[in-house]
Amino acid sequence: MKGLIAKKVGMTQVFDANGNLTPVTVIQVEPNTVVATKSTETNGYNAVVLGVEDVKESRVNKAYKGQFPENIAPKRHLKEFRDFEKEVAIGDQVGLELFEKTSFLDVTATSKGKGFQGVMKRWGFHGGRASHGSKFHREAGGTGNCTTPGHCLKNVKMPGHMGFERVTVQNLKIVKIDPELKVIMVRGAVPGVKNATLIIKSAVKK
């Protein structure tokens, strides 16, 4: 497993040698600092903890600060990656070079929040007729049974909070890696708003 903490810049488009247009998402990858390592002998599994974006020590409490060695400043974002392929030590920095020989990525982030939505937008219900007098346009319709069991069953599709969920998009093809700009361009869209924090990993389904 190879993974890094990154940031979503936005979407654009690129052209290949044949003139074909490809929509891409630009992902900025600043060097990730190895904050801690875990081994089978000590913790029961192998893992690496990466961190990005320095934070002033006055902005963190002692419990959070205690996770970092003395020579490493507290980081705003931390993520543990199990079974990390590359051999690293505490204090090392890992960047785009990790994905030089990788073709596909899995990207995890928190999706855009859309607030409270009805069943048509949330679940794709067709709704009723738009004609005058039908009195059934965007409602959910019946949601329960009669006397038996006398209540609504679980998992019925109803209006409610939409979005702002942990989402993973798999098998996004890497179109271009630019070491100077520290960005990766992947084909298609990734979840989250602009400047959202992403977790990028080598694809599981190769």
Side-chain angles (χ1 to χ4, degrees), residues 20 32 40 55 86 99 104-105 110 112 118 125 143:
N20 297 319
N32 286 212
T40 307
V55 183
K86 186 177 180 180
F99 296 112
F104 294 89
L105 294 179
T110 301
K112 291 182 180 180
F125 283 20
T143 57

Side-chain angles (χ1 to χ4, degrees), residues 108-160:
T108 302
T110 301
S111 63
K112 291 182 180 180
K114 296 178 173 60
F116 190 96
Q117 298 297 334
V119 290
M120 290 182 67
K121 180 167 183 176
R122 191 182 185 197
W123 302 110
F125 283 20
H126 286 206
R129 294 178 59 180
S131 56
H132 177 71
S134 72
K135 297 183 180 180
F136 176 69
H137 303 294
R138 301 184 66 89
E139 288 84 352
T143 57
N145 299 313
C146 198
T147 306
T148 306
H151 61 85
C152 292
L153 300 177
K154 288 184 177 181
N155 302 321
V156 175
K157 292 179 179 178
M158 292 186 178

Side-chain angles (χ1 to χ4, degrees), residues 3 5 49 58 60 62 65 68 72 77 80 91 95 108 112 127 136-137 150-151 157-158 169 174 179 182 185 203:
I5 305 171
V49 180
S58 60
V60 298
K62 289 184 178 180
K65 182 182 175 182
F68 303 91
I72 298 177
H77 303 290
E80 180 180 290
T108 302
K112 291 182 180 180
F136 176 69
H137 303 294
H151 61 85
K157 292 179 179 178
M158 292 186 178
V169 179
I174 296 178
K182 299 179 182 178
M185 297 183 185

Side-chain angles (χ1 to χ4, degrees), residues 9 26-31 96 177-184:
V9 177
V26 181
I27 301 173
Q28 186 174 17
V29 182
E30 294 292 340
L96 286 176
I177 297 179
D178 193 329
E180 293 184 2
L181 297 177
K182 299 179 182 178
V183 298
I184 297 179

Side-chain angles (χ1 to χ4, degrees), residues 81-93:
F81 296 91
R82 289 202 177 195
D83 299 322
F84 205 69
E85 290 185 10
K86 186 177 180 180
E87 291 290 334
V88 292
I90 295 176
D92 291 351
Q93 289 194 332

Side-chain angles (χ1 to χ4, degrees), residues 36-106:
T37 58
K38 299 185 179 181
S39 62
T40 307
E41 295 77 15
T42 308
N43 307 96
Y45 63 96
N46 294 315
V48 170
V49 180
L50 300 180
V52 292
E53 195 174 337
D54 291 349
V55 183
K56 291 182 179 179
E57 293 187 5
S58 60
R59 295 288 183 177
V60 298
N61 56 33
K62 289 184 178 180
Y64 189 78
K65 182 182 175 182
Q67 300 180 75
F68 303 91
E70 293 182 359
N71 59 336
I72 298 177
K75 305 296 181 182
R76 187 177 302 277
H77 303 290
L78 291 176
K79 176 64 180 176
E80 180 180 290
F81 296 91
R82 289 202 177 195
D83 299 322
F84 205 69
E85 290 185 10
K86 186 177 180 180
E87 291 290 334
V88 292
I90 295 176
D92 291 351
Q93 289 194 332
V94 187
L96 286 176
E97 69 280 355
L98 195 66
F99 296 112
E100 285 180 350
K101 298 181 180 179
T102 304
S103 300
F104 294 89
L105 294 179
D106 292 344

